[in-house]
Amino acid sequence: MTSCWTVILWAFLFFLIIAVTLSILPILIQQILLASFVEKNAAAIQTGMLTMMMLLITRSLADYGGHYLMRKAGNRLCMQLNCALFDKLLNLPHQYYQNLNKHHAIDTVLISIKQTSRSTVQIITILVRNTLIVISLVLCLAWLDQNFALLVLLLIPFAIIMLQIVQNQEDVKSHTHAPAVNKLTSHLQRSIENYRLIRLYGGQQQECKRLKNDAQSIQNNDMQQINYIAFVATLCQLVMILIVVAITYLITQQILKGAFTLEQTGAFITALLLLITPIRRLASIPQALQVAQKYLEQVFSLLDQHTVSDDS
């Protein structure tokens, strides 16, 4: 694991470069607007545009380097887990091999190890990369105006929570009616298997009525769940809209008071727009953790098996 963390630390430097370059962009926008509308300085505009181009190129190269190193760390983690799996398989008790096909399929475990490594690297990448971007942009806002930066910092957790609630509602919808659907499928299968007895005793209409009632009940529950999810999603969107309106109102008030100039306003808007994507990605981490948990359980259910030396 030491080699994996070493590669991740190098990738951390590339993600830090990405965060720094993005935090410089609002300040650069401020200087370009100042040169365009106030100073009327063509040379400063050209210098600012060239600097922005260099920052975007640096950001793209750092993004490629960071993802390359994280993929390399994922490959190393996968190899280390495979070695641990092979070592465990060679030291398991004899009884396990007799029931291997019943308890575990080796190909399934190997696929789970690959998916576990990929999911782990993905989660670390999302967390580290976007956290650094959010911190750097908040520091940029603090350099422009500390009070406004404090307000944005307080609103960021609310935005993440709202996005997570919407995503969790979608996950609940996909799992809520699985038992009811399985029950209906099992009932329908039994009816097909016993169709001769049903016809012999004239129970076609009764059986059809029961199946229709079960299907209607599932449909009604599904509609209730969809309406509830739509209501929660609308409520979360309303909260997000209120946040945007509040920030816009505060910026407008500061402009009317003369506290914000045109170039400062452009820098604020640029920083806020750059915050949208990392906040959405941070909100998706719990969903990624749920996907990774399934593969982790499959891997460690085998790695936690007692070896021969432990049993003896």
Side-chain angles (χ1 to χ4, degrees):
M1 287 296 293
T2 304
S3 59
C4 289
W5 285 112
T6 303
V7 177
I8 291 175
L9 287 177
W10 280 106
F12 176 84
L13 295 178
F14 283 94
F15 293 149
L16 185 60
I17 293 173
I18 295 173
V20 172
T21 54
L22 289 178
S23 64
I24 296 175
L25 283 178
I27 300 174
L28 190 59
I29 292 293
Q30 180 184 13
Q31 298 301 321
I32 293 174
L33 291 175
L34 178 64
S36 300
F37 295 98
V38 179
E39 298 177 352
K40 308 294 183 179
N41 191 341
I45 296 174
Q46 293 178 357
T47 303
M49 296 301 296
L50 289 175
T51 305
M52 181 183 296
M53 186 181 300
M54 294 301 298
L55 284 176
L56 294 176
I57 293 174
T58 303
R59 184 259 179 200
S60 299
L61 293 176
D63 191 36
Y64 173 79
H67 282 91
Y68 170 79
L69 290 175
M70 292 304 295
R71 288 193 298 268
K72 187 176 181 180
N75 291 333
R76 291 189 180 184
L77 177 61
C78 184
M79 289 301 301
Q80 291 175 0
L81 289 175
N82 283 331
C83 291
L85 171 66
F86 301 150
D87 181 68
K88 177 66 67 172
L89 288 175
L90 294 175
N91 293 280
L92 287 174
H94 178 69
Q95 295 81 1
Y96 181 83
Y97 296 102
Q98 294 178 346
N99 300 323
L100 183 61
N101 293 330
K102 297 180 181 179
H103 295 299
H104 283 285
I106 299 302
D107 55 345
T108 303
V109 177
L110 291 175
I111 294 174
S112 298
I113 287 176
K114 185 176 180 180
Q115 294 295 334
T116 299
S117 304
R118 183 180 301 174
S119 300
T120 302
V121 170
Q122 180 184 7
I123 292 171
I124 294 175
T125 302
I126 294 174
L127 180 62
V128 174
R129 182 177 183 273
N130 294 283
T131 301
L132 289 174
I133 292 175
V134 170
I135 292 174
S136 64
L137 290 173
V138 171
L139 290 176
C140 176
L141 289 173
W143 184 81
L144 295 170
D145 187 89
Q146 294 183 357
N147 295 327
F148 187 78
L150 181 60
L151 174 63
V152 173
L153 183 62
L154 293 176
L155 292 177
I156 286 176
F158 288 100
I160 294 177
I161 292 173
M162 293 298 104
L163 292 173
Q164 287 179 352
I165 290 175
V166 174
Q167 294 174 359
N168 290 335
Q169 292 299 321
E170 292 296 331
D171 294 336
V172 168
K173 178 182 180 299
S174 60
H175 298 290
T176 300
H177 301 297
V181 173
N182 292 335
K183 181 179 178 181
L184 178 62
T185 304
S186 178
H187 187 183
L188 182 59
Q189 185 176 0
R190 289 196 304 268
S191 299
I192 295 174
E193 292 175 352
N194 300 314
Y195 73 97
R196 292 185 178 179
L197 292 176
I198 294 174
R199 289 185 178 180
L200 179 63
Y201 293 101
Q204 294 96 325
Q205 293 184 355
Q206 181 180 0
E207 194 69 16
C208 182
K209 184 177 180 181
R210 291 177 58 188
L211 290 172
K212 181 179 178 180
N213 291 335
D214 291 342
Q216 186 65 38
S217 176
I218 293 175
Q219 186 66 23
N220 292 336
N221 292 333
D222 191 39
M223 288 301 300
Q224 292 178 358
Q225 189 70 24
I226 291 174
N227 293 332
Y228 173 74
I229 291 173
F231 172 76
V232 173
T234 303
L235 186 61
C236 294
Q237 291 174 2
L238 180 60
V239 173
M240 295 293 294
I241 291 173
L242 291 176
I243 291 175
V244 174
V245 170
I247 293 176
T248 306
Y249 176 78
L250 290 176
I251 293 177
T252 305
Q253 291 298 314
Q254 293 298 322
I255 293 174
L256 294 176
K257 293 179 181 179
F260 287 174
T261 59
L262 175 63
E263 58 272 14
Q264 284 180 318
T265 305
F268 281 127
I269 294 175
T270 303
L272 292 175
L273 292 177
L274 290 174
L275 277 172
I276 295 176
T277 300
I279 289 175
R280 293 183 62 181
R281 289 174 177 169
L282 287 174
S284 66
I285 289 180
Q287 190 175 10
L289 287 172
Q290 292 178 0
V291 175
Q293 183 180 2
K294 177 181 65 176
Y295 298 110
L296 283 171
E297 291 175 353
Q298 294 177 355
V299 172
F300 285 100
S301 62
L302 177 59
L303 295 179
D304 290 340
Q305 293 288 330
H306 294 289
T307 58
V308 176
S309 59
D310 294 332
D311 294 336
S312 60

